[in-house]
Amino acid sequence: MTLQSRRRAKNLVALAFATAASAFGLFWLAVILWTLLYNGVTGLSPVLVTEATPPPGSGAGGLGNAILGSLLMNGLAILVATPLGILAGTWLAEYARHSKFGEVVRFLNDILLSAPSIIVGLFVYELMVVPMHHFSGWAGAVALAIIAIPVIVRTTQDMLMLVPSSLREAAAALGAPRWRVITSVAYRAALSGILTGVLLALARVSGETAPLLFTALNNQFWSSDMNAPMGNLPVVIFQFALSPYDDWQQLAWNGALLITVAILLTNIAARMLAAGKKSSRG
Amino acid sequence: MSLALDKSLRSAAARSQSSSLMDRIFSALVLGSTAIVLLSLLGVFVALAVGAWPALQKFGFGFLVTEVWNPVTAQFGAVAPIFGTLVTSLVAMLIGVPISIGIAIFMTELCPDRLRRPLGIAIELLAGIPSIIYGIWGLFVLAPFMQQHVQPLLIDTLGELPIIGNLFQGPPYGIGILTAGLVLGIMVLPFITAVARDVFLTVPAMVRESAYGIGATTWEVVWRVVIPYCKVGLLGGVMLGLGRALGETMAVTFVIGNAHRISSSILAPGTTISASIANEFTEATTDIYTSSLVALGLILFFITFVVLSISRMMLRRLR
């Protein structure tokens, strides 16, 4: 074999591998989504939302209480995380852009962003469940908020950094004080980017299971009492999927489909918000 | 917007005295929020250390070198979960890294422009799927498939070989270290791919084109020019994926088998730090049991902190 054809053959093999790798990635996405759809559509009915989780073997019931609990805790978590995350992101982008301390905070925030979520669950267990002596919806919401905050901090910071300095300088030249420059000029220019970050944070916390296992625990009955253990979709899926009962496993699949569709839609909404901004700017 | 802005700026100027107060309030507000974010990280460390203290005090250094995990006799050692965490992550990296780099090469060098965006979105969707979905899918779809097709094949072929055959011994359970590693490998794909694609795109077109200009094939450009050019960033992406794999909980908990022992075969059930915590925490009846699980969490936090710090330092130049 000549050198030329050997190089060409090597090239072909390598590029075929790269193509196969892409097909491999897409294959798993397709398989997972198809399995979810195939197993999750069976038994999909309004009862799923209106009825509470059933005792095993009864063949009836739904996921209503878990959906309610998830909505409450996710909503509360985002409500807490949004102002905190945006303000901290503002500090990083507007007050500490070039400072050493800002660099340290940025570093730690990035670590928090990828830290294992079960660690956050343990933290909130020690922080809230141990002193309160019981699991609660509050603890679950706090755990989810701690996971959401770094996402919002990071996107807020990145989006504010994209706002051209000339805008800020123009406002400052008109005599606007700094807080005015930030709230009336920088925030407005970065608004859709910041909202994208909030949506991404919502998508992230909606699927989190590990931090809820020993903070909110679970509750098989309807409850909106944040001071008591609270039902939630991810933990119900976990418990029902590992149970030996067919009807519970079926509900787990239904729940898995619901949660995935909700998360993918949130992700798509976030992308559209970000893309819409780009085209209106250009 | 400009009119409203003009108005608000004018009124702001008129109230310049109150505005310096507002300035102080606002900067206190943003600094306070940042302090809360910082405190939460510090709080994680302190809370875990406090919770782990009874176990660390009782077992001392032995906690790190003992394999026994016996709730009945209250003897706890962290070796089996640490081993499981490292081995599943290693399997995940062996699968995930070459595939991710392959996808990134395809996206930056081969893919027609029209396909680039849809492919990017598809990979990001893979990242958006929550880990519990990977878990339920792994348990009901992947594990039976592994048990019936893949594992018997591995036992009959690789299991017959000397030395490495030890890795493929025992009955095909379906669940176990290998299956968990495979699920993790699929889960880290999008993270490593995204970083690899971004660092590949930082290679200046002139460098790339010079290589093509002297007659290099596409593969030679990638292997000899692109990858050496961004090896630090690439390694940062791999470490980021590793950080994810080490701490991943739900997907692993479903398919690992939760057995506190070390086995030479990767087909055998095992456990990881995160899976042990998820499985046993609410069942832990004694204080020392709970404390031992928190101590496991502390170890996991330390390991991922180190890995993610390295990753972040390597990716710093990218931003």
Side-chain angles (χ1 to χ4, degrees), chain A residues 7 11 110 176 179 234 271, chain B residues 9 22-23 124 215 219-220 312:
Chain A
R7 285 176 56 205
N11 185 44
D110 274 10
W179 68 276
R271 294 186 134 269
Chain B
L9 288 180
M22 273 304 288
D23 252 354
E124 267 174 51
W219 170 244
E220 285 162 351
R312 164 72 211 230

Side-chain angles (χ1 to χ4, degrees), chain A:
Chain A
M1 214 197 266
T2 65
L3 179 65
Q4 199 75 320
S5 60
R6 207 166 62 221
R7 285 176 56 205
R8 220 171 270 157
K10 213 168 163 187
N11 185 44
L12 213 64
V13 170
L15 297 188
F17 167 77
T19 313
S22 303
F24 181 85
L26 290 179
F27 169 77
W28 293 116
L29 181 66
V31 167
I32 292 171
L33 290 182
W34 192 81
T35 325
L36 259 185
L37 220 58
Y38 179 83
N39 291 297
V41 165
T42 322
L44 214 55
S45 78
V47 175
L48 215 55
V49 188
T50 56
E51 301 263 320
T53 43
S58 67
L63 298 164
N65 57 331
I67 295 172
L68 175 74
S70 276
L71 287 178
L72 281 174
M73 285 191 287
N74 287 339
L76 194 68
I78 291 297
L79 222 56
V80 172
T82 303
L84 276 177
I86 290 180
L87 288 172
T90 307
W91 185 78
L92 284 174
E94 302 285 338
Y95 288 80
R97 191 173 287 205
H98 303 292
S99 81
K100 271 261 151 52
F101 184 49
E103 197 53 45
V104 172
V105 176
R106 221 163 278 146
F107 178 84
L108 291 177
N109 188 66
D110 274 10
I111 303 268
L112 265 183
L113 192 64
S114 315
S117 55
I118 193 155
I119 299 289
V120 175
L122 281 179
F123 167 50
V124 175
Y125 175 85
E126 296 288 344
L127 187 76
M128 296 182 71
V129 178
V130 172
M132 289 164 79
H133 300 296
H134 61 84
F135 301 100
S136 71
W138 293 119
V142 168
L144 293 179
I146 292 176
I147 289 166
I149 287 173
V151 182
I152 300 176
V153 170
R154 182 65 201 272
T155 35
T156 303
Q157 175 211 317
D158 288 353
M159 291 303 147
L160 284 177
M161 285 198 167
L162 287 178
V163 175
S165 308
S166 53
L167 272 184
R168 291 191 192 90
E169 285 156 13
L174 289 172
R178 196 170 193 182
W179 68 276
R180 265 289 180 200
V181 173
I182 294 169
T183 53
S184 308
V185 179
Y187 277 170
R188 273 198 210 183
L191 183 64
S192 67
I194 294 174
L195 285 179
T196 303
V198 174
L199 280 181
L200 287 177
L202 177 62
R204 168 89 195 270
V205 297
S206 302
E208 284 293 352
T209 315
L212 295 176
L213 284 174
F214 26 83
T215 53
L217 198 67
N218 198 0
N219 188 337
Q220 68 183 106
F221 306 107
W222 287 100
S223 166
S224 56
D225 180 7
M226 295 293 283
N227 211 13
M230 184 167 248
N232 61 89
L233 217 37
V235 175
V236 168
I237 296 173
F238 177 54
Q239 289 181 347
F240 281 19
L242 286 175
S243 77
Y245 313 109
D246 285 343
D247 57 334
W248 273 18
Q249 290 183 0
Q250 182 55 48
L251 279 174
W253 279 112
N254 294 140
L257 180 65
L258 282 183
I259 216 168
T260 309
V261 168
I263 288 170
L264 291 187
L265 285 181
T266 314
N267 268 323
I268 289 168
R271 294 186 134 269
M272 278 165 62
L273 197 64
K277 172 69 187 172
K278 227 175 268 169
S279 62
S280 73
R281 198 194 290 156

